[in-house]
Amino acid sequence: MPPTFRRDVSLAPFNTFGIAARARRFVSVESVDELQALRDGPEWDDGPRLVVGGGSNVLFTRDFDGLVVRIATRGHRHLGDDGHDHLVEVEAGESWDGLVRISLAAGWPGLENLALIPGSVGASPVQNIGAYGVELVERFAWLEALDLSSGRIVRMDAAACGFGYRDSVFKRGLRERIVIVRVVFRLPLRWEARIDYADVASRLASNSSPSATDVADAITAIRRDKLPDPRVLGNAGSFFKNPVVDATTFDALRADEPDLAGRVQPDGRVKLAAAWLIDRCGWKGRGLEGGGGRAAVHDRQALVLVNRGGASGADILALAEAIRHDVGERFGIALEVEPLIV
Ligand code: EPU
């Protein structure tokens, strides 16, 4: 059975920025069969298409004159273990934070550092989500996706996904060609807490052997303190990637700005805190004058742009451009936008 279409639908409930763009057609799919029927049906080839999960990493800058497909599949399955890891298969439409809590309750730790990241399981490989020293790729076994050209379900391992820092093939060449339908995670049988980030270590200072749930709770509390709740203040998490520069550039910047922090990467290059650069340019908590200040920089985390109510996607983009300009001027660094701009 092909799913039911709705026409001229507001996308405000389907993007965490809360931007009031509209879609010409909208459909929600609740099973992989429904998705396949949709792909094989007559409405599929009628104009542009966009697949959304939680809508937590997208900025709509205009109405979408095409078909928006929301993936609303549910469920998970323990496939067994391979001696090192539990293998857990999860449907793409499950909420990410919901999965973190399900896995902890079931005794499969490993995702706790990624607690409270907004969005869906199917979106998690797209930007290789990461936080507090853990990236999705470390917990990833394989995924299954609908190949839109053949109509078949294909299996992709980590190498085929081309994971990088907040990056994968799904952001690049494969963006229009496949839809992720389920992800299989590998969660370690012999678990160890990863609490080397200063914020996390200090929150757990009085706990000599934190459980995975303790780590998830600590990280949830840290995120609640500094990141805006999208239900209250629209946002898409970090709006820019943290820039990575070579060691020489880092030393030169540091000579002028002794407080500049950096994390040395395995290849010797240094990842800078974009939040710090933006903050230093005086943007933290500030709104864009044009547009009545509706698009603003969050007052507790300068990497997060927020919709104070009624901002358009164009307002947010104009703010992002002003920030990019100032950071470029002052530090000679070109910030790269992280969410998908539609
Ligand atoms: N900082 C400032 N001003 C601010 C905020 C932060 O100067 O307003 C400085 C702080 O001193 C801190 C540094 O910037 O030392 C880094 O800040 P934070 O620890 O908050 O992390 P981040 O680098 O800004 C990244 C991820 C987040 C993830 C956190 C925690 C990216 C693009 N963002 O942010 O991921 O939760 O680390 O690991 O890599 C997301 O991708 O949407 C996201 C929220």
Side-chain angles (χ1 to χ4, degrees):
M1 264 278 289
T4 356
F5 292 89
R6 289 162 57 200
R7 316 228 162 232
D8 188 30
V9 171
S10 167
L11 294 171
F14 305 111
N15 74 96
T16 57
F17 255 123
I19 301 290
R22 304 189 76 81
R24 181 153 62 85
R25 289 173 305 147
F26 179 92
V27 68
S28 185
V29 295
E30 275 160 32
S31 70
V32 176
D33 286 349
E34 266 187 12
L35 179 65
Q36 281 182 302
L38 177 65
R39 181 253 173 215
D40 296 337
E43 304 243 17
W44 184 253
D45 284 320
D46 179 20
R49 291 176 298 258
L50 179 72
V51 175
V52 297
S56 61
N57 207 42
V58 57
L59 177 65
F60 289 105
T61 59
R62 60 172 74 138
D63 290 342
F64 190 72
D65 188 24
L67 174 64
V68 172
V69 182
R70 177 175 162 86
I71 306 295
T73 53
R74 293 278 182 277
H76 71 276
R77 206 153 60 97
H78 186 252
L79 301 180
D81 71 67
D82 63 4
H84 289 281
D85 299 294
H86 296 282
L87 293 170
V88 181
E89 180 185 82
V90 189
E91 298 302 310
E94 285 284 345
S95 103
W96 175 267
D97 188 55
L99 168 63
V100 172
R101 294 295 170 175
I102 286 171
S103 60
L104 293 173
W108 314 319
L111 300 177
E112 57 285 344
N113 290 45
L114 306 175
L116 208 68
I117 292 184
S120 65
V121 167
S124 64
V126 176
Q127 51 159 337
N128 182 22
I129 58 171
Y132 300 103
V134 175
E135 275 188 342
L136 173 109
V137 59
E138 287 178 64
R139 303 297 190 219
F140 177 90
W142 67 84
L143 60 75
E144 289 181 3
L146 176 63
D147 178 341
L148 296 175
S149 39
S150 68
R152 292 216 186 89
I153 299 292
V154 293
R155 180 188 274 215
M156 298 173 69
D157 63 10
C161 295
F163 291 123
Y165 164 57
R166 292 296 191 281
D167 196 37
S168 72
V169 291
F170 311 112
K171 271 189 153 178
R172 297 180 260 114
L174 288 190
R175 195 164 94 65
E176 316 259 305
R177 281 199 27 216
I178 72 126
V179 179
I180 297 166
V181 299
R182 50 182 75 94
V183 182
V184 178
F185 296 92
R186 49 173 71 256
L187 303 174
L189 294 172
R190 276 171 293 279
W191 173 84
E192 270 176 52
R194 297 267 290 274
I195 52 172
D196 43 331
Y197 266 57
D199 284 358
V200 184
S202 73
R203 226 177 246 258
L204 290 167
S206 60
N207 184 340
S208 57
S209 70
S211 69
T213 300
D214 294 338
V215 176
D217 290 346
I219 285 173
T220 299
I222 293 169
R223 293 183 74 101
R224 287 219 164 101
D225 271 356
K226 65 180 180 187
L227 298 173
D229 177 347
R231 287 168 303 186
V232 179
L233 202 55
N235 75 91
S238 302
F239 197 85
F240 299 102
K241 292 187 182 185
N242 283 327
V244 182
V245 299
D246 60 47
T248 320
T249 308
F250 179 67
D251 291 341
L253 286 167
R254 180 80 167 241
D256 292 337
E257 303 277 0
D259 303 342
L260 177 70
R263 267 183 187 266
V264 180
Q265 303 299 291
D267 63 1
R269 297 197 306 153
V270 184
K271 193 188 269 181
L272 306 178
W276 188 91
L277 303 173
I278 296 167
D279 198 342
R280 200 63 164 193
C281 290
W283 275 107
K284 191 168 180 170
R286 226 172 101 192
L288 184 71
E289 274 158 38
R294 293 174 304 213
V297 178
H298 188 47
D299 56 5
R300 296 205 196 156
Q301 223 295 5
L303 196 49
V304 178
L305 305 193
V306 297
N307 175 3
R308 285 179 176 161
S312 67
D315 294 334
I316 304 278
L317 264 195
L319 171 63
E321 214 25 73
I323 293 169
R324 269 173 54 90
H325 173 271
D326 287 2
V327 169
E329 190 110 301
R330 174 151 181 183
F331 300 106
I333 289 173
L335 289 181
E336 209 182 309
V337 168
E338 209 270 297
L340 174 68
I341 310 290
V342 177

